[in-house]
Amino acid sequence: MLAPIFLVLAFPLFCLASTLYVSSYSGNVTSLSLTRSGNGTYDLRALSTIPCASDPSWLTFDQERRLLYCIGEGLAGLKGAITVFEAATGGLLEAIGMTETLAGGVSSVLHQTQEEGMALAMAHYSTSALTTYLTPPPYPPFPPFPPTLIQTLPFSLSRPGPISDRQSAPHPHQVVLDPTGRYVLSPDLGSDLVRVFRIGRKGLLVECESLRVEKGTGVRHLVFRVVPNRRRRNGNQQAMSGGGSERVFMYAVGELSNTVTAYAVTYSGVGLEFEEIDSIDTFGGKGVPVGAGAAEIAILGNHLLISNRNDSSFLATPTQSFPLPRTVDQSDHSDSISTFALSSDGMLNFSGLSPAGGLFPRHFSPNRAGNLVAVGLQLSGKVAIIARNVETGKMGELEAEVEGLGEVTCVIWDAEE
């Protein structure tokens, strides 16, 4: 069994505390403690570090069972792995199981099966496939068996895409649930597709018609938004296709095109239908810096956030959000996070750029309240906590950071914060 490395800390008296989990290509998962003192200042420190599988790339947290799934990408190209940790109160982790997988795992999502069990779907970037694993059932006792492979879905490409060095093969980059929990979607960077799967018996994925995006987009990640349906003057709700009193929108970010595209989503009897309603580059139409690559996307209320890597849009000067001597990294540069306001009909309105806190913001996640965003900075080797105004959506000051984490790939909040 893998033994965690505990760090002895001397904490001052704080009134609020949250736990975060961070994966890194260093081969470890680190638990962080974010505390806030009575005067409103934050402190971020490492609690423990424990080895994961080869090249950890993604974390999925099962709050109900207190299980953390760490996806090992296996960059050497042989095998990846899923390592399962039990998360104790306070963020300490204990490894309880491991399963070898195809190499190239970069994303996973838990979903319920029709038989009331649970399954974990995985996207494998370098090996062009999706896989599905059975996981512990949603009722006690929770036996610590490792995830069991039940399905492999390989993909192929008849000819390379327009950006041949990145689109010579299918490259599924994410798996995500739709708002109903009945479908798994996977943006495929290499194929310029959003693949759609219905969740069938025993958690098996049944392929539906895919969404074709503009060639060369390199769609990387996506997110859904559900808004109440507008009422007509007579009081009757406008029925969206498929019925219901809510409208569903999907926003997909293209890594290669540096664009975000909005779709209106409707449900048919055999899958999902998409209508493109808006699209703009992730810098608000002001020009994309050479070498920039969009990465993560998230929705908080009526705002959408996107992280931009390798754009170096900000210098860490006293006029920026993080005053000196709290430098961003050795070169004093920071990449950016874009904010868009979302209208009730799904349209995108660029609000501006803000510093990401360092270089290569590969991943970020907001806390439950939406007033703090944890940013995983791959090339800076750290996690930055940035304040956010919940009402305006505006990103604010750098509140805290932890360095020395290696190439950070994912950072998530414990839902018990």
Side-chain angles (χ1 to χ4, degrees), residues 2-315:
L2 301 175
I5 304 167
F6 298 102
L7 305 179
V8 179
L9 306 174
F11 285 103
L13 181 61
F14 289 90
C15 58
L16 293 175
S18 301
T19 300
L20 300 93
Y21 305 108
V22 183
S23 62
S24 164
Y25 279 151
S26 66
N28 297 320
V29 175
T30 300
S31 301
L32 304 179
S33 175
L34 177 68
T35 50
R36 185 184 182 191
S37 67
N39 64 9
T41 60
Y42 287 91
D43 184 81
L44 183 65
R45 305 189 186 190
L47 286 173
S48 68
T49 297
I50 186 168
C52 181
S54 175
D55 308 307
S57 61
W58 190 263
L59 299 172
T60 295
F61 190 51
D62 184 342
Q63 169 64 27
E64 183 178 357
R65 298 153 197 78
R66 303 292 302 167
L67 297 177
L68 181 70
Y69 295 88
C70 175
I71 305 304
E73 189 171 354
L75 291 175
L78 299 177
K79 288 289 185 179
I82 306 170
T83 305
V84 187
F85 298 96
E86 190 170 44
T89 302
L92 300 182
L93 300 173
E94 179 184 2
I96 60 173
M98 179 184 288
T99 298
E100 281 195 343
T101 70
L102 288 175
V106 291
S107 175
S108 62
V109 67
L110 286 164
H111 61 85
Q112 198 161 13
T113 71
Q114 293 183 3
E115 293 75 23
E116 303 301 322
M118 294 296 293
L120 185 80
M122 284 181 59
H124 300 266
Y125 181 89
S126 62
T127 49
S128 306
L130 259 59
T131 55
T132 310
Y133 291 80
L134 284 180
T135 65
Y139 43 81
F142 307 133
F145 64 80
T148 304
L149 178 67
I150 58 173
Q151 185 180 31
T152 300
L153 294 169
F155 307 120
S156 60
L157 193 61
S158 59
R159 64 182 64 181
I163 305 177
S164 57
D165 61 330
R166 298 293 308 279
Q167 297 186 305
S168 60
H171 292 307
H173 211 301
Q174 184 195 31
V175 279
V176 62
L177 282 176
D178 83 308
T180 70
R182 295 186 287 116
Y183 294 89
V184 169
L185 289 85
S186 180
D188 186 331
L189 184 149
S191 302
D192 284 326
L193 295 173
V194 175
R195 300 182 186 274
V196 182
F197 303 87
R198 176 177 54 83
I199 299 172
R201 293 179 54 83
K202 299 182 179 180
L204 297 176
L205 301 181
V206 180
E207 192 162 7
C208 305
E209 183 177 356
S210 299
L211 165 67
R212 295 186 179 275
V213 303
E214 185 175 346
K215 291 185 180 300
T217 296
V219 60
R220 177 184 174 99
H221 281 190
L222 60 85
V223 67
F224 283 94
R225 176 185 181 223
V226 179
V227 299
N229 216 343
R230 290 175 294 184
R231 294 178 178 272
R232 292 176 177 170
R233 291 182 179 179
N234 62 9
N236 294 326
Q237 292 179 330
Q238 294 177 341
M240 73 174 179
S241 180
S245 60
E246 297 173 322
R247 289 171 296 154
V248 179
F249 300 101
M250 185 183 80
Y251 300 86
V253 63
E255 176 181 340
L256 305 183
S257 63
N258 288 284
T259 56
V260 56
T261 304
Y263 300 89
V265 182
T266 55
Y267 289 80
S268 67
V270 293
L272 306 182
E273 297 178 354
F274 304 91
E275 177 190 0
E276 182 177 332
I277 58 174
D278 201 5
S279 186
I280 189 173
D281 71 60
T282 61
F283 294 85
K286 303 180 184 299
V288 177
V290 175
E296 188 56 277
I297 184 170
I299 285 180
L300 295 94
N302 293 323
H303 295 90
L304 180 144
L305 303 180
I306 295 173
S307 62
N308 301 298
R309 299 168 299 170
N310 201 40
D311 66 300
S312 297
S313 291
F314 294 91
L315 293 174

Side-chain angles (χ1 to χ4, degrees), residues 310 329 359-361 377-382 406-408:
N310 201 40
D329 65 11
L359 295 182
F360 247 62
L377 298 152
Q378 183 174 348
L379 295 190
S380 294
K382 67 181 180 181
E407 292 188 53
V408 174

